[in-house]
Amino acid sequence: MANARLIAVNALIKVNKENAYSNITLDKYLSCTDISDKDKALATTLFYGVLDRKITIDYVISRLSKTPVKKLSPITAEAIRIAIYQLMFLERIPESAAVNESVNIVKRSKEARNSGFVNAVLRNIIRNPVELPSGEGVKELSVRYSCPEWIIESFIADYGKENAVELLKSGNEAPPVILKVNTLKTDAKGLITALLEEGLTAREHEFIENALVLENGFDIRKSELYKRGFYHIQDTASQTVVTKLSLKSGERVLDLCAAPGGKSFTMAEIMEDKGEIVSCDLYKKRVNLIENGAKRLGLSAIKPQVSDATVFNKELSLFDAILCDVPCSGLGVLRRKPEIKYKNIEDFTELQKIQREILSNAVNYLKENGRILYSTCTLRREENEEMIANFLEDNKNFTLEYEHTFMPHIDGTDGFYCALLYKK
């Protein structure tokens, strides 16, 4: 019988084995069970907590076990990890529950022979808590904030030690759930009132118009307001960047890398659903996500289409404005997608080439006096400022009108970068 801890263990095994997306993986497991909302919340906390703190947790295991973490069998490893996460970071859960539930998971599995080992390791951490290294070197910071050394070195090189540490701290914080109000159907105050009837509490964002901060638990599958298209979920940085295009009703807009569609939706709402937004993605399955989202929100201006952003498509014609929200390393959204931490820097070697190709291709679709918004959800300067500097060097007929890097500890958003380019 499935329970919160077993779901977390199984979902963690799948993410680690298949390098799967965390949100999609967990959603599949939760949607296939009838456990209570409280247990779903616990499963979510354990799943994301272990992903976020795995380097720290594995450091602790290495101090308690003679068997290296990499040699532990999958169920045993994840059962130990979720228990250590509870013991170290969740004060409200009794130690006995954290230990016994993990031991029982292993006992009822094909790895039952390891249950005594699991019990011994966990009892040991209770008797002899492991102290984390307190130094300020990259290795110590890596263990303390559970972040790979190469990412820390990248942050330090780009933003200095002080900002790097603040970025590491923010990466361990639980991200807020932000709702973008569908202004074609309601307004912020109206949505707050309607959400209360669903048992959800939200407040208006302090400085972002038509953005609500959800203040209590949330299961999107149960929200009738979501199904009826009164909002979509989108961080405030993502909402803010599209406003820099200064879109007007009736304009023709190209979203070159649109899936799953959040920025296209916000642009259509800004334009009062008047005009045309051609929302492209390379894969039909992802284009379907855009199509379904636009239908749910009642947005007829969005025209989803399969198209390769790096290759010129002569059927697209010319546009007043273009959004290039390019594929990136994602280092600005580690708190939402902690699995990114466990990629190697080599996994991103082709990204800059793709980013250059997309931005260069976008020029072919732009009208005279048109504008391009380049954006990423990463905090690597070589994918951001350096990319734009090189583009401007090669394209003298463009000017940089706006540029900003959103920092979690400064702007209170996800890490994000955008640059607004005008064609002379």
Side-chain angles (χ1 to χ4, degrees), residues 195 198 200 218-229 231:
L195 286 167
E198 291 190 337
L200 301 171
F218 189 55
D219 184 349
I220 201 168
R221 291 177 294 272
K222 294 184 177 180
S223 173
E224 287 300 320
L225 290 167
Y226 176 82
K227 295 174 186 176
R228 291 162 54 197
Y231 63 88

Side-chain angles (χ1 to χ4, degrees), residues 6-16 20 22 25-26 29 47:
L6 181 58
I7 288 171
V9 165
N10 288 333
L12 287 165
I13 290 171
K14 184 173 179 63
V15 167
N16 291 332
S22 59
T25 300
L26 182 62
Y29 277 94
F47 174 74

